[in-house]
Coordinates of all heavy atoms in Angstrom, one line a residue:
M1 N 9.3 -0.9 -14.2 CA 9.5 0.2 -13.3 C 10.5 -0.2 -12.2 O 10.6 -1.3 -11.8 CB 8.1 0.5 -12.6 CG 7.0 1.0 -13.5 SD 5.4 1.2 -12.7 CE 5.7 2.8 -11.9
E2 N 11.2 0.8 -11.7 CA 12.1 0.6 -10.7 C 11.4 0.3 -9.4 O 10.4 0.9 -9.1 CB 13.0 1.9 -10.5 CG 13.9 2.1 -11.6 CD 15.0 1.1 -11.7 OE1 15.5 0.7 -10.7 OE2 15.3 0.7 -12.9
P3 N 12.0 -0.5 -8.5 CA 11.4 -0.9 -7.2 C 11.1 0.3 -6.3 O 10.2 0.4 -5.6 CB 12.3 -1.9 -6.6 CG 13.1 -2.5 -7.7 CD 13.2 -1.4 -8.8
T4 N 12.0 1.3 -6.4 CA 11.9 2.5 -5.5 C 10.8 3.4 -6.0 O 10.3 4.3 -5.2 CB 13.2 3.2 -5.4 OG1 13.7 3.5 -6.7 CG2 14.3 2.4 -4.7
T5 N 10.4 3.4 -7.3 CA 9.4 4.2 -7.8 C 8.0 3.5 -7.6 O 7.0 4.2 -7.6 CB 9.6 4.6 -9.2 OG1 9.6 3.4 -10.0 CG2 10.8 5.4 -9.4
V6 N 8.0 2.2 -7.5 CA 6.7 1.5 -7.4 C 6.2 1.7 -6.0 O 5.0 2.1 -5.8 CB 6.9 0.0 -7.6 CG1 5.7 -0.8 -7.3 CG2 7.3 -0.2 -9.1
I7 N 7.0 1.5 -4.9 CA 6.6 1.6 -3.5 C 6.8 3.1 -3.1 O 7.9 3.6 -3.1 CB 7.4 0.7 -2.6 CG1 7.3 -0.7 -3.2 CG2 6.9 0.8 -1.2 CD1 5.9 -1.3 -3.2
K8 N 5.7 3.8 -2.8 CA 5.9 5.2 -2.3 C 6.2 5.2 -0.8 O 7.1 5.9 -0.4 CB 4.6 6.0 -2.6 CG 4.5 6.2 -4.1 CD 3.3 7.1 -4.4 CE 3.2 7.4 -5.9 NZ 2.1 8.3 -6.2
M9 N 5.4 4.5 0.0 CA 5.6 4.5 1.5 C 4.8 3.4 2.1 O 3.7 3.0 1.5 CB 5.3 5.8 2.1 CG 3.8 6.2 2.0 SD 3.5 7.8 2.8 CE 1.8 8.0 2.4
P10 N 5.2 2.9 3.2 CA 4.4 1.9 3.9 C 3.2 2.6 4.7 O 3.3 3.8 5.0 CB 5.3 1.3 4.9 CG 6.4 2.3 5.1 CD 6.5 3.0 3.8
I11 N 2.1 1.9 4.8 CA 1.0 2.4 5.6 C 1.0 1.8 6.9 O 1.0 0.6 7.1 CB -0.3 2.1 4.8 CG1 -0.3 2.7 3.4 CG2 -1.5 2.6 5.6 CD1 -1.4 2.3 2.5
I12 N 1.1 2.6 8.0 CA 1.1 2.1 9.3 C -0.1 2.7 10.1 O -0.1 3.9 10.4 CB 2.4 2.5 10.0 CG1 3.6 2.0 9.2 CG2 2.4 2.0 11.5 CD1 4.9 2.4 9.7
T13 N -1.1 1.8 10.2 CA -2.3 2.2 11.0 C -2.6 1.0 12.0 O -1.9 0.0 12.0 CB -3.5 2.4 10.1 OG1 -3.8 1.1 9.4 CG2 -3.3 3.5 9.1
E14 N -3.6 1.2 12.8 CA -3.9 0.2 13.8 C -4.4 -1.1 13.1 O -4.0 -2.2 13.5 CB -5.0 0.6 14.7 CG -4.5 1.7 15.7 CD -5.7 2.0 16.7 OE1 -6.6 1.2 16.9 OE2 -5.6 3.1 17.2
K15 N -5.1 -0.9 12.0 CA -5.7 -2.1 11.3 C -4.5 -2.8 10.6 O -4.5 -4.1 10.6 CB -6.7 -1.6 10.3 CG -7.5 -2.7 9.7 CD -8.6 -2.1 8.8 CE -9.6 -3.1 8.3 NZ -10.7 -2.6 7.6
V16 N -3.6 -2.1 10.0 CA -2.5 -2.8 9.3 C -1.5 -3.4 10.3 O -1.0 -4.5 10.1 CB -1.8 -1.8 8.4 CG1 -0.5 -2.4 7.8 CG2 -2.7 -1.3 7.3
T17 N -1.3 -2.8 11.4 CA -0.5 -3.4 12.5 C -1.1 -4.7 13.0 O -0.4 -5.6 13.3 CB -0.3 -2.4 13.6 OG1 0.2 -1.1 13.1 CG2 0.7 -2.9 14.6
A18 N -2.4 -4.7 13.1 CA -3.1 -6.0 13.6 C -2.9 -7.0 12.5 O -2.8 -8.2 12.8 CB -4.5 -5.7 13.9
A19 N -3.0 -6.6 11.2 CA -2.8 -7.6 10.1 C -1.4 -8.1 10.0 O -1.2 -9.2 9.4 CB -3.3 -6.9 8.8
S20 N -0.4 -7.4 10.6 CA 0.9 -7.9 10.5 C 1.2 -9.2 11.2 O 2.1 -9.9 11.0 CB 1.9 -6.8 10.9 OG 1.7 -6.6 12.3
E21 N 0.3 -9.5 12.2 CA 0.3 -10.8 12.9 C 0.1 -11.9 11.9 O 0.5 -13.1 12.2 CB -0.7 -10.8 14.0 CG -0.4 -9.8 15.1 CD -1.4 -9.8 16.2 OE1 -2.3 -10.8 16.2 OE2 -1.4 -8.9 17.0
F22 N -0.7 -11.7 10.8 CA -1.0 -12.7 9.9 C -0.1 -12.5 8.6 O -0.5 -13.0 7.5 CB -2.4 -12.6 9.5 CG -3.4 -12.7 10.7 CD1 -4.0 -11.6 11.2 CD2 -3.5 -14.0 11.2 CE1 -4.8 -11.8 12.3 CE2 -4.4 -14.1 12.3 CZ -5.0 -13.0 12.9
N23 N 1.1 -11.9 8.8 CA 2.0 -11.7 7.7 C 1.5 -10.8 6.5 O 1.8 -11.0 5.4 CB 2.6 -13.0 7.1 CG 3.3 -13.8 8.2 OD1 3.9 -13.2 9.1 ND2 3.3 -15.1 8.0
Q24 N 0.6 -9.9 6.8 CA 0.1 -9.0 5.8 C 0.6 -7.5 6.1 O 0.5 -7.1 7.2 CB -1.4 -9.0 5.8 CG -2.0 -10.4 5.4 CD -3.5 -10.4 5.3 OE1 -4.1 -9.4 5.6 NE2 -4.0 -11.5 4.9
Y25 N 1.0 -6.8 5.1 CA 1.5 -5.5 5.2 C 0.9 -4.6 4.1 O 0.6 -5.1 3.0 CB 3.0 -5.5 5.1 CG 3.7 -6.4 6.1 CD1 4.1 -7.7 5.7 CD2 3.9 -6.0 7.4 CE1 4.7 -8.5 6.6 CE2 4.4 -6.8 8.3 CZ 4.9 -8.1 7.9 OH 5.4 -8.9 8.9
A26 N 0.7 -3.3 4.3 CA 0.1 -2.4 3.4 C 1.1 -1.4 2.9 O 1.9 -0.9 3.7 CB -1.1 -1.8 4.0
F27 N 1.0 -1.0 1.6 CA 1.9 0.0 1.1 C 1.1 0.9 0.1 O 0.2 0.5 -0.5 CB 3.0 -0.7 0.2 CG 3.9 -1.5 1.1 CD1 3.7 -2.9 1.3 CD2 5.0 -1.0 1.7 CE1 4.6 -3.6 2.0 CE2 5.9 -1.7 2.5 CZ 5.6 -3.1 2.6
H28 N 1.5 2.2 0.1 CA 1.0 3.1 -0.8 C 1.9 3.0 -2.1 O 3.1 3.1 -2.0 CB 1.2 4.5 -0.2 CG 0.6 5.6 -1.1 ND1 -0.2 6.6 -0.5 CD2 0.7 5.9 -2.4 CE1 -0.5 7.4 -1.5 NE2 0.0 7.0 -2.6
V29 N 1.3 2.6 -3.2 CA 2.0 2.3 -4.4 C 1.7 3.3 -5.6 O 0.6 4.0 -5.5 CB 1.8 0.8 -4.9 CG1 2.4 -0.1 -3.8 CG2 0.4 0.5 -5.2
D30 N 2.5 3.3 -6.6 CA 2.2 4.1 -7.8 C 0.9 3.6 -8.5 O 0.7 2.4 -8.5 CB 3.4 4.0 -8.7 CG 3.3 5.0 -9.9 OD1 3.7 6.1 -9.7 OD2 2.8 4.6 -10.9
H31 N 0.1 4.4 -9.0 CA -1.2 4.0 -9.6 C -1.0 3.3 -10.9 O -1.9 2.6 -11.3 CB -2.1 5.2 -9.8 CG -1.6 6.2 -10.8 ND1 -1.9 6.1 -12.1 CD2 -0.8 7.3 -10.6 CE1 -1.3 7.1 -12.8 NE2 -0.6 7.9 -11.9
R32 N 0.2 3.3 -11.5 CA 0.4 2.6 -12.7 C 1.0 1.2 -12.5 O 1.1 0.4 -13.4 CB 1.4 3.3 -13.6 CG 0.8 4.7 -14.1 CD 1.9 5.5 -14.7 NE 2.9 5.8 -13.7 CZ 4.0 6.5 -13.9 NH1 4.3 6.9 -15.1 NH2 4.8 6.8 -12.9
A33 N 1.3 0.9 -11.2 CA 2.0 -0.4 -10.9 C 1.0 -1.6 -10.9 O -0.2 -1.4 -10.4 CB 2.6 -0.3 -9.5
T34 N 1.4 -2.7 -11.4 CA 0.6 -3.9 -11.4 C 0.9 -4.8 -10.2 O 1.9 -4.4 -9.5 CB 0.8 -4.7 -12.7 OG1 2.1 -5.1 -12.8 CG2 0.4 -3.9 -13.9
R35 N 0.2 -5.8 -10.0 CA 0.5 -6.7 -8.9 C 1.9 -7.4 -9.0 O 2.6 -7.5 -8.0 CB -0.5 -7.9 -8.9 CG -1.9 -7.4 -8.5 CD -2.9 -8.5 -8.4 NE -4.2 -8.0 -8.2 CZ -5.2 -8.7 -7.8 NH1 -5.0 -10.0 -7.6 NH2 -6.4 -8.2 -7.5
T36 N 2.3 -7.7 -10.3 CA 3.6 -8.3 -10.4 C 4.7 -7.3 -10.2 O 5.8 -7.6 -9.6 CB 3.8 -8.9 -11.8 OG1 3.5 -7.9 -12.8 CG2 2.9 -10.1 -12.0
D37 N 4.5 -6.0 -10.5 CA 5.4 -4.9 -10.2 C 5.6 -4.8 -8.7 O 6.7 -4.6 -8.2 CB 5.0 -3.6 -10.8 CG 5.0 -3.6 -12.3 OD1 5.8 -4.4 -12.9 OD2 4.3 -2.8 -12.9
V38 N 4.5 -4.8 -8.0 CA 4.5 -4.7 -6.5 C 5.2 -5.8 -5.9 O 6.1 -5.7 -5.0 CB 3.1 -4.5 -6.0 CG1 3.1 -4.5 -4.5 CG2 2.5 -3.2 -6.5
K39 N 5.0 -7.0 -6.4 CA 5.6 -8.2 -5.9 C 7.1 -8.2 -6.1 O 7.9 -8.4 -5.1 CB 5.0 -9.5 -6.6 CG 5.6 -10.8 -6.1 CD 5.0 -12.0 -6.8 CE 5.7 -13.2 -6.3 NZ 5.1 -14.4 -6.9
K40 N 7.6 -7.8 -7.2 CA 9.0 -7.7 -7.5 C 9.7 -6.7 -6.7 O 10.8 -6.8 -6.2 CB 9.2 -7.5 -9.0 CG 8.9 -8.7 -9.9 CD 9.1 -8.3 -11.3 CE 8.7 -9.5 -12.2 NZ 8.8 -9.1 -13.7
A41 N 9.0 -5.5 -6.5 CA 9.6 -4.4 -5.7 C 9.7 -4.8 -4.3 O 10.7 -4.5 -3.6 CB 8.7 -3.2 -5.9
I42 N 8.7 -5.4 -3.7 CA 8.8 -5.8 -2.3 C 9.9 -6.8 -2.1 O 10.6 -6.8 -1.1 CB 7.4 -6.3 -1.8 CG1 6.4 -5.3 -1.8 CG2 7.5 -6.9 -0.4 CD1 6.6 -4.1 -0.9
E43 N 10.0 -7.8 -2.9 CA 11.0 -8.8 -2.8 C 12.4 -8.2 -3.0 O 13.3 -8.6 -2.3 CB 10.8 -9.9 -3.8 CG 9.6 -10.8 -3.5 CD 9.3 -11.9 -4.6 OE1 9.9 -11.8 -5.7 OE2 8.5 -12.8 -4.3
A44 N 12.5 -7.2 -3.9 CA 13.8 -6.6 -4.1 C 14.2 -5.7 -2.9 O 15.4 -5.7 -2.5 CB 13.8 -5.8 -5.4
I45 N 13.3 -4.9 -2.4 CA 13.6 -3.9 -1.3 C 13.8 -4.6 0.0 O 14.7 -4.3 0.7 CB 12.5 -2.8 -1.3 CG1 12.6 -2.0 -2.6 CG2 12.7 -1.9 -0.1 CD1 11.4 -1.0 -2.7
Y46 N 12.8 -5.5 0.4 CA 12.8 -6.0 1.7 C 13.4 -7.4 1.8 O 13.6 -7.9 3.0 CB 11.4 -6.0 2.3 CG 10.9 -4.6 2.5 CD1 9.9 -4.1 1.6 CD2 11.3 -3.8 3.5 CE1 9.4 -2.8 1.7 CE2 10.8 -2.5 3.6 CZ 9.9 -2.0 2.7 OH 9.4 -0.7 2.8
G47 N 13.6 -8.1 0.7 CA 14.3 -9.4 0.8 C 13.4 -10.5 1.4 O 13.9 -11.4 2.1
V48 N 12.1 -10.5 1.1 CA 11.2 -11.5 1.6 C 10.5 -12.1 0.4 O 10.5 -11.6 -0.7 CB 10.1 -10.8 2.5 CG1 10.7 -10.3 3.8 CG2 9.3 -9.8 1.8
T49 N 9.8 -13.3 0.7 CA 9.1 -14.0 -0.4 C 7.6 -13.6 -0.3 O 7.0 -13.8 0.7 CB 9.2 -15.5 -0.2 OG1 10.6 -15.8 -0.2 CG2 8.5 -16.2 -1.3
V50 N 7.1 -13.0 -1.4 CA 5.7 -12.5 -1.4 C 4.8 -13.7 -1.9 O 5.1 -14.3 -2.9 CB 5.6 -11.3 -2.3 CG1 4.1 -10.9 -2.4 CG2 6.4 -10.2 -1.8
V51 N 3.8 -14.0 -1.1 CA 2.8 -15.0 -1.5 C 1.7 -14.5 -2.3 O 1.2 -15.1 -3.3 CB 2.3 -15.7 -0.2 CG1 1.3 -16.8 -0.5 CG2 3.5 -16.4 0.6
A52 N 1.1 -13.3 -1.8 CA -0.1 -12.8 -2.5 C 0.0 -11.3 -2.4 O 0.5 -10.7 -1.5 CB -1.3 -13.3 -1.9
V53 N -0.6 -10.6 -3.5 CA -0.8 -9.2 -3.5 C -2.2 -8.8 -3.9 O -2.7 -9.4 -4.8 CB 0.2 -8.6 -4.6 CG1 0.0 -7.1 -4.6 CG2 1.6 -8.9 -4.2
R54 N -2.8 -8.0 -3.1 CA -4.1 -7.5 -3.4 C -4.0 -5.9 -3.5 O -3.4 -5.3 -2.7 CB -5.1 -7.8 -2.3 CG -5.4 -9.3 -2.2 CD -6.3 -9.6 -1.0 NE -5.6 -9.3 0.2 CZ -6.2 -9.0 1.4 NH1 -7.5 -8.9 1.4 NH2 -5.5 -8.8 2.4
T55 N -4.6 -5.4 -4.5 CA -4.6 -3.9 -4.8 C -5.9 -3.3 -4.7 O -7.0 -4.0 -5.0 CB -3.9 -3.6 -6.1 OG1 -4.7 -4.2 -7.1 CG2 -2.5 -4.1 -6.2
Q56 N -6.0 -2.0 -4.3 CA -7.2 -1.3 -4.3 C -6.9 0.1 -4.8 O -5.9 0.7 -4.4 CB -7.7 -1.1 -2.8 CG -8.1 -2.4 -2.1 CD -8.5 -2.1 -0.7 OE1 -8.2 -1.1 -0.1 NE2 -9.3 -3.0 -0.1
V57 N -7.8 0.7 -5.5 CA -7.8 2.1 -5.9 C -8.8 2.8 -5.0 O -10.0 2.5 -5.0 CB -8.1 2.3 -7.4 CG1 -8.1 3.8 -7.7 CG2 -7.1 1.6 -8.3
R58 N -8.3 3.7 -4.2 CA -9.1 4.3 -3.2 C -9.2 5.8 -3.5 O -8.4 6.4 -4.1 CB -8.4 4.1 -1.8 CG -8.3 2.6 -1.5 CD -7.7 2.4 -0.1 NE -8.5 3.0 0.9 CZ -9.2 2.3 1.8 NH1 -9.2 1.0 1.7 NH2 -10.0 2.9 2.7
Q59 N -10.3 6.4 -3.0 CA -10.5 7.8 -3.2 C -10.9 8.5 -1.9 O -11.7 8.0 -1.1 CB -11.7 8.0 -4.2 CG -11.9 9.5 -4.5 CD -12.8 9.8 -5.7 OE1 -13.4 8.8 -6.2 NE2 -12.9 11.0 -6.0
E60 N -10.2 9.6 -1.7 CA -10.5 10.3 -0.5 C -11.8 11.0 -0.6 O -12.3 11.2 -1.8 CB -9.4 11.4 -0.2 CG -8.0 10.8 0.1 CD -7.0 11.8 0.2 OE1 -7.2 13.0 0.0 OE2 -5.8 11.5 0.6
R61 N -12.4 11.4 0.5 CA -13.8 12.0 0.4 C -13.7 13.4 -0.1 O -12.6 14.1 0.0 CB -14.4 12.0 1.7 CG -13.8 12.8 2.8 CD -14.5 12.6 4.1 NE -13.8 13.3 5.2 CZ -14.2 14.6 5.5 NH1 -15.1 15.2 4.9 NH2 -13.5 15.2 6.5
D62 N -14.7 13.9 -0.7 CA -14.8 15.3 -1.2 C -15.0 16.2 0.0 O -15.6 15.8 1.0 CB -16.0 15.4 -2.1 CG -15.9 14.6 -3.4 OD1 -14.8 14.2 -3.7 OD2 -17.0 14.3 -4.0
R63 N -14.4 17.4 -0.1 CA -14.5 18.3 1.0 C -15.1 19.6 0.6 O -14.9 20.0 -0.5 CB -13.1 18.5 1.6 CG -12.5 17.3 2.1 CD -11.1 17.5 2.7 NE -10.5 16.3 3.1 CZ -10.4 15.8 4.3 NH1 -10.9 16.5 5.3 NH2 -9.9 14.7 4.6
T64 N -15.8 20.2 1.5 CA -16.4 21.5 1.2 C -15.8 22.6 2.1 O -15.7 22.4 3.3 CB -18.0 21.4 1.5 OG1 -18.5 20.4 0.7 CG2 -18.6 22.7 1.1
Y65 N -15.3 23.6 1.4 CA -14.7 24.7 2.1 C -15.6 26.0 1.8 O -16.5 25.9 1.0 CB -13.3 25.0 1.6 CG -12.4 23.8 1.9 CD1 -11.9 22.9 0.9 CD2 -11.9 23.6 3.2 CE1 -11.1 21.9 1.2 CE2 -11.0 22.5 3.5 CZ -10.7 21.7 2.4 OH -9.8 20.6 2.7
K66 N -15.2 27.1 2.4 CA -16.0 28.3 2.2 C -15.9 28.8 0.7 O -16.8 29.5 0.3 CB -15.6 29.4 3.2 CG -14.2 29.9 3.0 CD -13.9 30.9 4.0 CE -12.5 31.4 3.9 NZ -12.2 32.4 4.9
Y67 N -14.9 28.4 0.0 CA -14.8 28.9 -1.4 C -15.3 27.8 -2.4 O -15.2 28.1 -3.6 CB -13.3 29.2 -1.7 CG -12.3 28.1 -1.4 CD1 -12.1 27.1 -2.3 CD2 -11.6 28.1 -0.2 CE1 -11.2 26.1 -2.1 CE2 -10.7 27.1 0.0 CZ -10.5 26.1 -0.9 OH -9.6 25.1 -0.7
G68 N -15.8 26.7 -1.9 CA -16.3 25.7 -2.8 C -16.0 24.3 -2.5 O -15.4 24.0 -1.4
K69 N -16.3 23.4 -3.4 CA -16.1 21.9 -3.1 C -14.9 21.5 -3.9 O -14.6 21.9 -5.0 CB -17.3 21.2 -3.6 CG -17.4 19.8 -3.3 CD -18.7 19.2 -3.7 CE -18.8 17.8 -3.2 NZ -20.1 17.1 -3.6
T70 N -14.0 20.6 -3.2 CA -12.9 20.1 -3.8 C -13.0 18.6 -3.9 O -13.6 17.9 -2.9 CB -11.6 20.4 -3.1 OG1 -11.7 19.9 -1.8 CG2 -11.4 21.9 -3.1
L71 N -12.6 17.9 -4.9 CA -12.6 16.5 -5.1 C -11.5 15.8 -4.4 O -10.4 16.3 -4.3 CB -12.6 16.1 -6.6 CG -13.8 16.7 -7.4 CD1 -13.5 16.3 -8.9 CD2 -15.1 16.2 -6.9
G72 N -11.7 14.7 -3.8 CA -10.7 13.9 -3.2 C -9.7 13.3 -4.1 O -10.1 12.9 -5.3
K73 N -8.5 13.1 -3.7 CA -7.5 12.5 -4.6 C -7.7 10.9 -4.6 O -8.2 10.3 -3.7 CB -6.1 12.8 -4.0 CG -5.8 14.2 -4.0 CD -4.4 14.4 -3.4 CE -4.1 15.9 -3.2 NZ -2.8 16.1 -2.6
T74 N -7.3 10.3 -5.7 CA -7.3 8.9 -5.8 C -5.9 8.4 -5.6 O -4.9 9.0 -6.0 CB -7.8 8.4 -7.1 OG1 -7.0 8.9 -8.2 CG2 -9.2 8.8 -7.3
W75 N -5.7 7.2 -4.9 CA -4.4 6.6 -4.7 C -4.6 5.1 -4.7 O -5.7 4.6 -4.6 CB -3.8 7.1 -3.4 CG -4.6 7.0 -2.2 CD1 -5.7 7.7 -1.8 CD2 -4.4 6.0 -1.1 NE1 -6.2 7.3 -0.6 CE2 -5.4 6.2 -0.2 CE3 -3.5 5.0 -0.9 CZ2 -5.6 5.4 1.0 CZ3 -3.6 4.2 0.2 CH2 -4.6 4.5 1.1
K76 N -3.5 4.4 -4.8 CA -3.5 3.0 -4.9 C -2.8 2.3 -3.6 O -1.8 2.8 -3.3 CB -2.9 2.5 -6.1 CG -3.1 1.0 -6.5 CD -2.6 0.8 -7.9 CE -3.1 -0.6 -8.4 NZ -2.7 -0.8 -9.8
R77 N -3.5 1.4 -3.1 CA -3.0 0.7 -1.9 C -2.8 -0.8 -2.2 O -3.6 -1.4 -2.9 CB -3.9 0.8 -0.7 CG -3.5 0.0 0.5 CD -4.4 0.3 1.7 NE -5.5 -0.7 1.7 CZ -6.3 -0.8 2.8 NH1 -6.1 0.0 3.8 NH2 -7.2 -1.7 2.8
A78 N -1.7 -1.4 -1.8 CA -1.4 -2.8 -2.0 C -1.3 -3.5 -0.7 O -0.5 -3.1 0.2 CB -0.1 -3.0 -2.8
M79 N -2.0 -4.6 -0.5 CA -1.9 -5.4 0.7 C -1.1 -6.6 0.3 O -1.4 -7.3 -0.6 CB -3.3 -5.9 1.2 CG -4.1 -4.8 1.8 SD -3.5 -4.2 3.4 CE -3.7 -5.6 4.4
V80 N 0.1 -6.8 1.0 CA 1.0 -7.8 0.6 C 1.1 -8.9 1.7 O 1.2 -8.5 2.8 CB 2.4 -7.2 0.4 CG1 3.5 -8.2 0.0 CG2 2.4 -6.1 -0.7
R81 N 1.0 -10.2 1.3 CA 1.2 -11.2 2.3 C 2.5 -11.9 2.0 O 2.8 -12.3 0.8 CB 0.0 -12.2 2.2 CG 0.0 -13.3 3.3 CD -1.3 -14.0 3.3 NE -1.5 -14.7 2.1 CZ -1.6 -16.0 1.9 NH1 -1.5 -16.8 2.9 NH2 -1.9 -16.5 0.7
V82 N 3.3 -12.1 3.0 CA 4.6 -12.7 2.8 C 4.6 -14.1 3.4 O 3.6 -14.5 4.0 CB 5.7 -11.9 3.6 CG1 5.9 -10.5 3.0 CG2 5.5 -11.8 5.0
A83 N 5.6 -14.9 3.1 CA 5.6 -16.3 3.4 C 5.7 -16.5 5.0 O 6.1 -15.5 5.7 CB 6.8 -17.0 2.8
D84 N 5.2 -17.6 5.5 CA 5.3 -17.9 6.9 C 6.7 -17.9 7.4 O 7.6 -18.3 6.7 CB 4.7 -19.3 7.2 CG 3.2 -19.2 7.0 OD1 2.6 -18.2 7.1 OD2 2.6 -20.3 6.7
G85 N 6.9 -17.3 8.6 CA 8.2 -17.2 9.2 C 9.0 -16.0 8.8 O 10.1 -15.7 9.3
Q86 N 8.5 -15.2 7.8 CA 9.2 -14.0 7.4 C 8.4 -12.8 7.8 O 7.2 -12.8 8.0 CB 9.4 -14.0 5.8 CG 10.3 -15.1 5.3 CD 10.4 -15.0 3.8 OE1 9.7 -14.3 3.2 NE2 11.4 -15.7 3.3
K87 N 9.1 -11.7 8.0 CA 8.4 -10.4 8.3 C 9.2 -9.2 7.8 O 10.4 -9.3 7.5 CB 8.2 -10.3 9.8 CG 9.4 -10.1 10.7 CD 9.0 -9.9 12.1 CE 10.2 -9.4 12.9 NZ 9.8 -9.0 14.3
I88 N 8.5 -8.1 7.7 CA 9.2 -6.9 7.3 C 9.4 -6.1 8.5 O 8.5 -5.9 9.4 CB 8.2 -6.1 6.3 CG1 8.1 -7.0 5.0 CG2 8.8 -4.8 5.9 CD1 7.1 -6.4 4.0
E89 N 10.6 -5.6 8.7 CA 11.1 -5.0 9.9 C 10.4 -3.6 10.2 O 10.5 -3.2 11.4 CB 12.6 -4.8 9.9 CG 13.3 -6.1 9.9 CD 13.1 -6.9 11.2 OE1 12.9 -6.3 12.3 OE2 13.0 -8.1 11.0
L90 N 9.8 -2.9 9.3 CA 9.2 -1.6 9.6 C 8.0 -1.7 10.5 O 7.7 -0.8 11.2 CB 8.8 -0.9 8.3 CG 9.9 -0.5 7.4 CD1 9.3 0.1 6.1 CD2 10.7 0.6 8.1
F91 N 7.3 -2.9 10.5 CA 6.1 -3.0 11.2 C 6.2 -3.6 12.5 O 6.8 -4.4 12.9 CB 5.1 -3.8 10.3 CG 4.7 -3.1 9.0 CD1 5.4 -3.3 7.9 CD2 3.7 -2.2 9.0 CE1 5.1 -2.7 6.7 CE2 3.4 -1.5 7.8 CZ 4.1 -1.8 6.7

C-alpha cells in the first residue's frame, strides 16, 4: 500500500497531546493496514524512526434517532512510538 493511503489523518486530542511528551502519536489508518505498513508509512512521510506500533479497531457508539437506530462506524487507530530525540512536527 502507498504511504499516503495508509495514513488517513493524525488524531489530535488532549490525551494524544499528553502522550506526545513520551514520543507517542496517534493516527487514523486504513482498516486493511498492518503494523508494518503503518511503520513504513510513518517513516516515509515524516522521516522519523518508529520504535513500536500498536493498533486498535474501534467502534463508534450506536445512535438512536426518531426514525430508528443506526450502527456506529468502525475505524482503525494506530499509536506510534518514535525513537528518543525525534518528534513529529504536527503535534
Side-chain angles (χ1 to χ4, degrees):
M1 296 179 78
E2 291 292 321
T4 54
T5 60
V6 172
I7 306 298
K8 291 186 177 181
M9 66 180 172
I11 300 171
I12 301 175
T13 60
E14 287 184 28
K15 192 171 187 178
V16 173
T17 305
S20 66
E21 296 177 11
F22 303 105
N23 297 332
Q24 294 181 358
Y25 305 98
F27 295 93
H28 185 133
V29 297
D30 189 85
H31 65 90
R32 297 169 294 177
T34 62
R35 292 179 185 198
T36 55
D37 292 337
V38 173
K39 180 179 178 179
K40 289 177 185 177
I42 295 294
E43 289 177 346
I45 293 172
Y46 296 106
V48 295
T49 304
V50 175
V51 176
V53 177
R54 294 177 293 155
T55 58
Q56 296 176 339
V57 176
R58 303 182 59 111
Q59 183 169 5
E60 295 177 353
R61 65 184 177 94
D62 298 340
R63 298 182 186 256
T64 304
Y65 298 105
K66 63 181 179 181
Y67 55 83
K69 190 174 187 179
T70 60
L71 300 176
K73 298 176 185 176
T74 58
W75 56 285
K76 192 170 193 175
R77 175 172 93 168
M79 290 293 291
V80 177
R81 188 167 58 117
V82 298
D84 290 335
Q86 296 182 348
K87 67 177 195 172
I88 296 176
E89 293 298 325
L90 289 177
F91 295 92

